[in-house]
């Protein structure tokens, strides 16, 4: 065994990497439950790649056969139903995990200097993920697949001058059809997965260059012992390998409980309307995107003017990109920020969740007013950040983790 | 210890394949009252026979292939208006409650071509195929049919329940082991949060 290692190390920097990224890479010892979600994201993504690969072996990406091929996967292929449910449940779980992961960053100021690039790359990943999910959703070629594809591609017509030609170019035809399905399949299976791997690599590299943040927002590199090791950190291996492993196993309990006992997710993972083959001549009663895209779609829905609605919907996730520069607070963690930041975070969260849920509410004038207020509150909590973070009263965190000030 | 083994056995029992009898009855109802117009294109006779424990189909020498209806689509358009839809996935599309309300929701309406209308699907093109049955028989047949349609929409539903229990139990066991590992690794770290 040792011989193999020596042989390998002469040809690839395995021992160097093992030291610099595992046994001698120091991570703050106080990372809590919220810090598991990055690892969970990798886990779910790996499951998506593997289940997706197997599904690709049996799925036919043509308008006439797509729906039937999925039924064949569900009924004829051995454990095809399991592959399908892992993939569809995985998509929803991936978004759940990513939202928790982003919430952690918001809570502890992980986007602040020197981690702005980690944040930007992460937001790029979020955008890629939404695109991947959109393309993937079209592939079963159900009613919702076709109509969602139609509505979303139509949004591009709002771009001046080139809008209408752009829509036809994206679709490969005047309407969503075989051409669109083929190219969405190619993008979903090849282009975006490759881009995801690349950007995840950069995201992790940027993170490991500066090290993880922690719930106290303290920099552990500031206090090192006589050997140059951070006193408030522990090596990634074995401490966080072991902790992430435990977290992943518990996560998988929930994941597989859903896969085996409730893969429809109460109609939120597999929507009932999508069990009907796509019919361009019959509009579904409620066209709505999957739950994870719902807040943004709601913004589109409640703004009365089409162009303004589309631009605002597009701005809603983009404004997150500006967070490292909107946040002027001298402290990172919400534990030490002032009361205004805490209120603003609550407003941000509640309005986002409310926007997501309002797709299910009846469309009365009251809910319309409330939803528009939520849109306003959502943007305000971001745009006012430079002011309330600069002028609020904050506390300073202790010098050491577990210390007192 | 013995109590736990017994409990486990009970757990696994309750997820066993439910009522092949009920599904057989439901299949009978479907063939008698529905298959004249509606297909089950994603089901095959062979698979149905295997899942429901049927050795042969009464009145037929051999049935093979997808369960299709003999009703010509072109004629159906003229006779009914909308073409009777395939029912393989209806139970997943509408849900059990909707289907129940639909099947029980027929009422007489002289203004309609077939003399009936429906509370759940107003101005529908389908006649009331169970009109001649007394209420009790009708109720029973509808229940059997519903169970069968739920099976048609997802034939492996019971299998996935049966498989889910050992998977989740195994993961719980693994979680206990991993927790012990984590504790033993981290015990030396003073960890004020």
């Amino acid at each position: 065994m040792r011989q193999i290692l020596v042989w390998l190390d002469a040809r690839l920097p395995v021992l160097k990497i093992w030291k610099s990224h595992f046994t001698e890479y120091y991570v703050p010892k106080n990372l809590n439950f919220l810090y598991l979600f990055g690892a969970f994201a990798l886990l779910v993504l790996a499951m998506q790649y593997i289940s997706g690969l197997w599904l690709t072996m049996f799925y036919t990406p043509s308008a006439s056969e797509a729906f039937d091929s999925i039924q064949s996967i569900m009924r004829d292929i051995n454990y095809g139903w399991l592959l399908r449910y892992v993939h569809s449940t995985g998509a929803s779980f991936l978004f759940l995990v990513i939202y928790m992961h982003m919430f952690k960053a918001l809570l502890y100021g992980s986007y602040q200097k020197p981690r702005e690039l980690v944040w930007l790359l992460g937001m790029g990943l979020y955008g890629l993920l939404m695109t991947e999910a959109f393309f993937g959703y079209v592939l079963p070629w159900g009613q919702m697949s076709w109509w969602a594809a139609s509505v979303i591609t139509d949004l591009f017509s709002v771009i001046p001058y080139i809008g209408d030609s752009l829509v036809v170019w994206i679709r490969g035809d005047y309407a969503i059809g075989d051409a669109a399905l083929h190219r969405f399949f190619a993008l979903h299976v090849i282009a975006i997965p490759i881009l995801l791997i690349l950007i995840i690599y950069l995201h992790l590299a940027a993170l490991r260059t500066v090290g993880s943040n922690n719930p106290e927002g303290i920099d552990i590199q500031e206090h090192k012992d006589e050997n140059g090791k951070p006193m408030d950190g522990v090596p990634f291996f074995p401490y966080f390998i072991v902790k992430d492993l435990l977290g992943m196993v518990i996560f998988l309990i929930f994941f597989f409980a859903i896969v085996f006992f409730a893969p429809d997710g109460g109609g939120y993972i597999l929507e009932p309307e999508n069990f009907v083959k796509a019919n361009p001549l019959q509009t579904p009663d409620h066209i709505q995107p999957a739950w994870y895209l719902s807040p943004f779609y709601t913004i589109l829905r409640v703004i009365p003017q089409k162009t303004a609605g589309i631009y605002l919907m597009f701005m809603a996730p983009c404004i997150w990109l500006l967070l490292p520069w909107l946040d002027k607070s001298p402290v990172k963690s919400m534990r030490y920020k002032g009361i205004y930041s805490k209120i603003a975070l609550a407003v941000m969260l509640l309005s986002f969740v409310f926007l997501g849920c309002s797709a299910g509410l009846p469309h009365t004038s009251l809910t319309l007013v409330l939803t528009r207020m939520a849109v306003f509150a959502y943007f305000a909590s971001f745009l006012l950040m430079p002011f309330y973070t600069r002028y609020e009263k904050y506390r300073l965190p202790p010098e050491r983790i577990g210390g007192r000030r | 210890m013995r109590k736990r083994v017994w409990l486990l056995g009970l757990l696994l029992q309750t997820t066993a394949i439910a009522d092949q009898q009920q599904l057989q009855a439901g299949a009978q109802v479907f063939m008698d009252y529905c298959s004249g117009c509606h297909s089950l294109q994603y089901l095959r006779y062979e698979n149905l026979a295997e899942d429901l424990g049927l050795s042969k189909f009464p009145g037929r020498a051999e049935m093979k292939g997808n369960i299709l209806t003999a009703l010509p689509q072109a004629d159906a358009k003229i006779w009914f208006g909308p073409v009777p839809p395939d029912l393989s996935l209806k139970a997943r599309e509408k849900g059990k409650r909707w289907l129940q309300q639909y099947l029980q929701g027929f009422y007489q309406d002289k203004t309609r071509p077939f003399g009936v209308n429906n509370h759940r699907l107003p101005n529908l093109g389908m006649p009331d195929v169970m009109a001649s049955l007394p209420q009790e028989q009708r109720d029973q047949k509808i229940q059997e049919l519903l169970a069968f349609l739920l099976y048609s929409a997802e034939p492996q539903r019971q299998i996935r329940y049966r498989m889910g229990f050992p998977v989740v139990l195994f993961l719980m066991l693994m979680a206990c082991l991993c927790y012990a590992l984590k504790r033993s690794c981290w015990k030396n770290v003073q960890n004020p949060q």
Side-chain angles (χ1 to χ4, degrees):
Chain A
M1 190 60 220
R2 174 128 191 92
Q3 302 285 56
I4 299 176
L5 211 58
V6 169
W7 184 92
L8 209 55
D9 191 53
R11 291 156 180 75
L12 270 180
V14 283
L15 288 176
K16 177 161 159 278
I17 301 272
W18 179 244
K19 267 200 189 157
S20 64
H21 282 296
F22 290 91
T23 54
E24 288 177 18
Y25 174 70
Y26 279 80
V27 180
K29 63 182 182 181
N30 63 338
L31 296 193
N32 61 14
F33 161 73
L34 286 173
Y35 280 83
L36 288 167
F37 287 95
F40 291 167
L42 271 176
L43 173 67
V44 177
L45 194 69
M47 285 198 289
Q48 292 299 89
Y49 273 69
I50 297 174
S51 60
L53 174 64
W54 250 261
L55 285 170
T56 317
M57 297 181 190
F58 303 108
Y59 169 78
T60 308
S62 81
S64 52
E65 291 180 66
F67 191 85
D68 293 351
S69 71
I70 300 235
Q71 284 308 305
S72 173
I73 289 171
M74 295 294 290
R75 294 162 192 266
D76 301 329
I77 306 297
N78 292 330
Y79 300 102
W81 56 268
L82 184 58
L83 287 170
R84 200 267 177 104
Y85 286 150
V86 165
H87 203 72
S88 53
T89 307
S92 277
F93 263 74
L94 190 50
F95 274 96
L96 191 65
V97 160
I98 290 295
Y99 282 134
M100 293 297 286
H101 185 63
M102 296 201 291
F103 173 67
K104 174 261 290 181
L106 236 59
L107 199 60
Y108 299 130
S110 310
Y111 49 77
Q112 279 193 21
K113 182 176 160 135
R115 297 178 184 88
E116 302 98 322
L117 188 61
V118 183
W119 176 255
L120 289 177
L121 288 166
M123 285 309 297
L125 283 170
Y126 179 54
L128 271 179
L129 197 66
M130 288 196 283
T131 317
E132 176 80 342
F134 166 67
F135 289 144
Y137 197 72
V138 179
L139 301 185
W141 210 242
Q143 270 288 63
M144 221 31 114
S145 307
W146 194 93
W147 285 91
S150 205
V151 168
I152 299 298
T153 48
D154 185 56
L155 294 180
F156 288 91
S157 62
V158 82
I159 298 172
Y161 303 115
I162 59 168
D164 290 318
S165 327
L166 190 63
V167 172
V168 174
W169 182 76
I170 291 173
R171 291 174 177 172
D173 201 340
Y174 296 106
I176 295 284
D178 205 46
L181 182 58
H182 270 92
R183 59 188 52 190
F184 287 1
F185 179 70
L187 291 166
H188 181 82
V189 174
I190 306 188
I192 298 186
I194 291 180
L195 275 174
L196 278 172
I197 292 188
L198 178 67
I199 312 275
I200 288 173
Y201 169 74
L202 291 174
H203 181 71
L204 287 173
L207 173 67
R208 279 168 166 259
T209 305
V210 297
S212 283
N213 189 18
N214 61 80
E216 292 280 280
I218 305 169
D219 183 0
I220 62 166
Q221 302 293 337
E222 296 210 336
H223 298 276
K224 298 193 171 129
D225 63 13
E226 58 276 359
N227 297 320
K229 311 289 180 208
M231 290 196 277
D232 290 326
V234 288
F236 185 69
F237 181 90
Y239 291 90
F240 282 97
I241 294 288
V242 148
K243 191 170 180 193
D244 285 350
L245 182 66
L246 173 63
M248 285 184 187
V249 173
I250 297 177
F251 175 79
L252 287 177
I253 292 175
F254 290 101
F255 180 77
F256 281 111
I258 301 282
V259 165
F260 284 101
F261 299 121
D264 282 5
Y268 286 103
I269 299 180
L270 288 171
E271 280 153 0
E273 293 89 348
N274 232 25
F275 284 101
V276 179
K277 229 188 261 206
N279 184 355
L281 300 173
Q282 189 184 17
T283 316
D285 288 335
H286 299 285
I287 301 179
Q288 58 194 45
W291 68 268
Y292 39 80
L293 298 179
S294 191
F296 306 118
Y297 192 68
T298 302
I299 295 177
L300 176 68
R301 216 173 26 87
V302 298
I303 306 293
Q305 211 259 342
K306 182 177 174 184
T307 315
I310 293 175
Y311 283 125
L312 266 178
M313 176 184 83
F314 188 68
M315 275 296 113
C318 285
I319 201 164
W320 292 62
L321 284 165
L322 301 175
L323 261 179
W325 297 279
L326 289 171
D327 187 350
K328 303 287 184 200
S329 180
V331 296
K332 291 194 167 73
S333 169
M334 204 52 79
R335 289 181 181 180
Y336 297 99
K337 281 183 176 170
I339 185 72
Y340 292 121
S341 282
K342 292 177 174 146
I343 294 174
L345 182 65
V347 164
M348 208 184 281
L349 201 63
L350 286 171
S351 54
F352 193 68
V353 170
F354 181 74
L355 287 172
C357 294
S358 43
L361 293 173
H363 295 189
T364 65
S365 49
L366 176 66
T367 57
L368 188 62
V369 166
L370 285 175
T371 313
R372 284 176 179 164
M373 281 170 59
V375 176
F376 181 76
Y378 171 81
F379 281 104
S381 59
F382 283 96
L383 295 170
L384 293 175
M385 203 184 267
F387 306 104
Y388 63 73
T389 48
R390 183 180 276 137
Y391 296 118
E392 70 183 350
K393 229 172 19 180
Y394 58 90
R395 290 185 300 135
L396 281 173
E399 282 291 318
R400 297 281 311 277
I401 290 175
R404 260 165 300 171
R405 215 166 233 281
Chain B
M1 187 64 210
R2 217 176 293 164
K3 195 173 179 186
R4 284 204 200 114
V5 173
W6 173 82
L7 202 65
L8 189 69
L10 191 71
L11 271 173
L12 292 172
Q13 268 294 49
T14 55
T15 61
I17 291 266
D19 257 339
Q20 267 189 339
Q21 300 280 34
Q22 195 190 32
L23 289 178
Q24 285 182 10
Q28 183 75 58
V29 173
F30 183 86
M31 292 304 172
D32 288 341
Y33 293 94
C34 318
S35 65
C37 305
H38 291 281
S39 57
L40 287 171
Q41 64 174 328
Y42 296 117
L43 264 73
R44 287 203 183 84
Y45 286 104
E46 299 95 314
N47 296 342
L48 195 64
E50 198 184 309
D51 284 342
L52 266 52
L54 303 167
S55 55
K56 63 178 189 288
F57 292 88
R60 301 224 180 266
E62 201 182 80
M63 295 300 283
K64 272 200 161 155
N66 298 58
I67 302 178
L68 301 170
T69 180
L71 180 68
Q73 303 272 286
D75 289 334
K77 269 211 183 84
I78 301 170
W79 296 338
F80 300 102
V83 172
D86 179 84
L87 295 182
S88 324
L89 293 167
K90 244 333 158 199
R92 285 192 100 161
E93 179 201 339
K94 298 287 189 197
K96 185 175 178 189
R97 208 172 69 172
W98 189 98
L99 283 175
Q100 172 123 18
Q101 290 172 348
Y102 173 77
L103 289 167
Q104 300 278 26
F106 284 93
Y107 63 92
Q108 287 200 2
D109 183 351
K110 295 264 162 43
T111 67
R112 301 294 302 159
F114 287 111
V116 287
N117 207 328
N118 189 294
H119 291 295
R120 214 60 187 90
L121 198 64
N123 299 331
L124 80 174
M126 173 172 153
D128 185 5
V129 291
M130 293 192 189
S132 55
L133 288 174
Q135 190 62 37
E136 222 182 73
Q137 257 194 51
R138 185 196 179 107
D139 287 343
Q140 194 200 354
K141 285 195 191 287
I142 286 176
Q143 287 310 115
E144 289 162 356
L145 180 64
L146 284 175
F148 177 70
L149 285 177
L150 274 168
Y151 157 80
S152 307
E154 199 189 352
Q156 80 291 343
R157 188 160 169 268
Q158 282 144 4
I159 299 175
R160 80 167 150 81
Y161 265 78
R162 265 202 313 182
M163 224 182 259
F165 270 93
V167 169
V168 172
L169 283 172
F170 169 77
L171 284 170
M172 285 181 179
L173 181 69
M174 283 301 293
C176 295
L177 293 174
C178 286
Y179 182 65
L181 179 64
K182 188 254 175 186
R183 281 294 290 256
S184 104
C185 179
W186 279 76
K187 67 175 180 284
N188 293 325
V189 177
Q190 276 138 350
N191 204 10
Q193 291 276 347

